[in-house]
Amino acid sequence: MISPIGRLQMKTFAMILAGTALALTGASAVSAQTRQEKNEARLAKMLEGRVAGEPTSCITTLRSSTDLKVIDYVGIVYDAGDTIWVSRPNNPRSLTWTDIPIFDRFGSQLCKQDITRTIDQNGRFTGVVFMGDFVPYRKG
């Protein structure tokens, strides 16, 4: 049988644990929001002096894969020289800088309908990303 003082101590401990869990969840959400805001600013800097064009569902990628960058919680950027293409996933938090996108193409172009899987730097599967249209940004 647990004494009344023991019950009070258990309830207090449970409340402390619940409060800690809430605080950590809130801190994590703030951290993620801050990371997304920081990376949105990073993308804006990359696109300075460029004008957005008409979105398209597919693009031709002729250059090397090093011209493809994942921007944390924002999207995938493909630098084609004169044009920078930006595709934002349905869930931007599904992409982090440690992700390496693997595109299962169904043709010669990179399309939003292609299956985009991600692996980490150790080659472990981390998820599937559903990309949006590719928006071209050209120098204005």
Side-chain angles (χ1 to χ4, degrees), residues 81-104:
D82 293 342
T83 305
I84 294 177
W85 296 90
V86 178
S87 178
R88 295 173 180 267
N90 293 347
N91 176 11
R93 294 206 178 169
S94 63
L95 281 176
T96 65
W97 68 273
T98 59
D99 288 328
I100 300 167
I102 307 295
F103 301 101
D104 293 334

Side-chain angles (χ1 to χ4, degrees), residues 19-81:
T20 302
L22 273 172
L24 289 175
T25 302
S28 174
V30 169
S31 173
Q33 183 64 25
T34 303
R35 185 183 319 168
Q36 186 172 10
E37 289 169 356
K38 182 178 101 178
N39 287 324
E40 286 287 355
R42 180 176 154 215
L43 176 61
K45 187 162 180 68
M46 289 172 70
L47 300 175
E48 266 180 13
R50 294 178 180 267
V51 178
E54 191 67 31
T56 184
S57 60
C58 296
I59 61 172
T60 301
T61 55
L62 299 175
R63 297 168 54 136
S64 74
S65 62
T66 59
D67 299 323
L68 189 77
K69 293 178 177 46
V70 172
I71 298 183
D72 252 14
Y73 291 5
V74 175
I76 291 179
V77 175
Y78 177 69
D79 187 347

